Amino acid sequence: MTDHILKATTKTVHLGGFSHLLEPVLTVNSGDTVDVETYTGYYIYDKAPPEFLTPEFLDICQNLAPERKVAGGPHLLTGPIYVQDAEPGDVLEVRLEAIAPRLPMGFNAIRPGWGALPHQFNQPALRFISLDLANNIAEFPAGAGIKIPLKPFFGILGVATPETSRTSVPPGAYGGNIDNRELQAGSRLFLPVFVPGALFSIGDGHSAQGDGEVNITAIETSMNGRITLMLRKDMQLTTPIAETPTDIITMGFGQTLDEALELALNNMIDFLKRFTNLSPEDAYVLCSLAVNFRITQVVNSPQKGVHGMLPKSIFSKSINL
């Protein structure tokens, strides 16, 4: 097992999406750990206060090479990371060991035409939000006495697919812009592998977000993380699943919330059939009795997200993924 450090630079980040044509910026073996840097705010950096900017981030925003601009999405992603021996049909387990803001400031933006209420809130708006890292809170609006606990996570964790230019906006079977606030330090994400080496990328740090992410952004934050990448040839998946210290999480992505819910539910039923040997009908009933289905996000067009949370505490025997 080897520990790696992956800094965010013009040579190690890419903009806007996923592509199997991108050269890997790091090669790891299964079980290796990576201390990774990410930045956010590529499209608003010229409006940012000095405390949001670092020389490295400015260099990325001003000098990123055209070949590192993959698609039209707004996200800066660090990677891709090549995992030795990973092949299509395998599963990449991403262990989220630690996640922390890089800077004591994030931002929230309203973009015209986006969000859950695009006709009601149709003017652009950009707010920079100070982060009290010592007390792990953000006060919003400033001076209002409303204190939001910081619960940092990465909005985007994904692998490349055979597509040469996949935008970073919608999530999918490859992961991507999942925006699931449950994926905090101590959780694990399992992603199907579609191309040799998996080509994993990470970014879109959020310091705090409500389920739904209704105005299109959270507290968008440049983020540090420590991840361990495990190659799982003993698993087969067609869509991501996750595990937190308390829950198993299945996901569904669809053009409507109804479609996303149905997929998340079916994925949970499939999980229960495979890992607990329940019949399909018993699994369906258990979902109604004990699984909490939540709106992940409604703004990553064209894919909305729903996730189901299965409490591990209801099982007398542990579920081993």
Side-chain angles (χ1 to χ4, degrees):
M1 310 301 180
T2 304
D3 292 335
H4 305 266
I5 296 175
L6 183 56
K7 299 283 189 180
T9 71
T10 56
K11 304 296 185 182
T12 62
V13 305
H14 55 98
L15 175 69
F18 295 82
S19 173
H20 71 282
L21 299 180
L22 279 171
E23 288 294 323
V25 301
L26 178 67
T27 297
V28 303
N29 292 309
S30 177
D32 285 0
T33 295
V34 183
D35 287 304
V36 61
E37 295 180 347
T38 70
Y39 281 109
T40 194
Y42 180 86
Y43 285 106
I44 55 89
Y45 83 93
D46 56 341
K47 303 177 181 64
E51 54 267 41
F52 186 79
L53 305 173
T54 68
E56 297 83 1
F57 180 47
L58 282 173
D59 186 38
I60 290 169
C61 293
Q62 295 171 350
N63 298 306
L64 191 65
E67 61 267 22
R68 305 295 295 176
K69 299 176 181 179
V70 178
H75 306 100
L76 279 173
L77 304 177
T78 303
I81 299 171
Y82 187 99
V83 182
Q84 292 277 26
D85 301 321
E87 297 291 341
D90 295 341
V91 169
L92 181 65
E93 176 185 337
V94 183
R95 297 183 179 179
L96 299 164
E97 312 282 7
I99 307 171
R102 285 183 54 77
L103 304 169
M105 177 171 286
F107 73 90
N108 179 273
I110 299 173
R111 296 175 62 188
W114 292 76
L117 299 173
H119 302 295
Q120 186 172 342
F121 297 93
N122 55 15
Q123 297 300 311
L126 177 62
R127 292 172 170 85
F128 288 90
I129 301 172
S130 295
L131 309 178
D132 182 346
L133 300 182
N135 294 302
N136 206 40
I137 58 171
E139 187 175 6
F140 180 82
I146 303 171
K147 298 179 179 180
I148 304 168
L150 301 186
K151 296 183 177 180
F153 68 98
F154 291 102
I156 296 182
L157 307 114
V159 296
T161 70
E163 291 187 46
T164 59
S165 181
R166 179 187 285 272
T167 175
S168 61
V169 174
Y174 59 96
N177 197 17
I178 299 172
D179 281 341
N180 189 323
R181 69 184 184 94
E182 303 295 338
L183 299 182
Q184 297 167 27
S187 62
R188 299 191 290 168
L189 177 66
F190 300 83
L191 299 169
V193 173
F194 296 92
V195 299
L199 298 179
F200 173 79
S201 296
I202 184 171
D204 190 31
H206 296 170
S207 282
Q209 177 197 294
D211 285 334
E213 198 188 21
V214 294
N215 88 329
I216 199 177
T217 50
I219 302 181
E220 308 290 319
T221 312
S222 297
M223 199 74 72
N224 287 343
R226 168 170 280 202
I227 59 174
T228 300
L229 298 176
M230 304 289 297
L231 180 59
R232 298 292 300 269
K233 291 185 176 288
D234 61 327
M235 295 181 71
Q236 289 185 328
L237 293 175
T238 58
T239 192
I241 62 172
E243 181 182 16
T244 73
T246 57
D247 293 87
I248 301 294
I249 301 176
T250 61
M251 307 176 195
F253 310 116
Q255 295 192 9
T256 67
L257 284 175
D258 285 347
E259 182 182 347
L261 171 61
E262 184 174 335
L263 289 169
L265 172 57
N266 273 310
N267 289 335
M268 184 62 77
I269 291 170
D270 289 342
F271 173 85
L272 289 167
K273 286 162 50 182
R274 291 173 56 192
F275 288 89
T276 68
N277 294 317
L278 290 180
S279 69
E281 185 174 288
D282 282 347
Y284 183 40
V285 172
L286 183 61
C287 286
S288 191
L289 301 181
V291 177
N292 299 303
F293 289 93
R294 299 176 178 171
I295 297 172
T296 317
Q297 56 76 25
V298 295
V299 293
N300 295 332
S301 180
Q303 298 281 63
K304 303 180 189 300
V306 169
H307 59 278
M309 300 189 65
L310 172 68
K312 294 189 292 186
S313 61
I314 68 175
F315 295 95
S316 58
K317 296 181 180 179
S318 61
I319 299 175
N320 296 314
L321 297 182

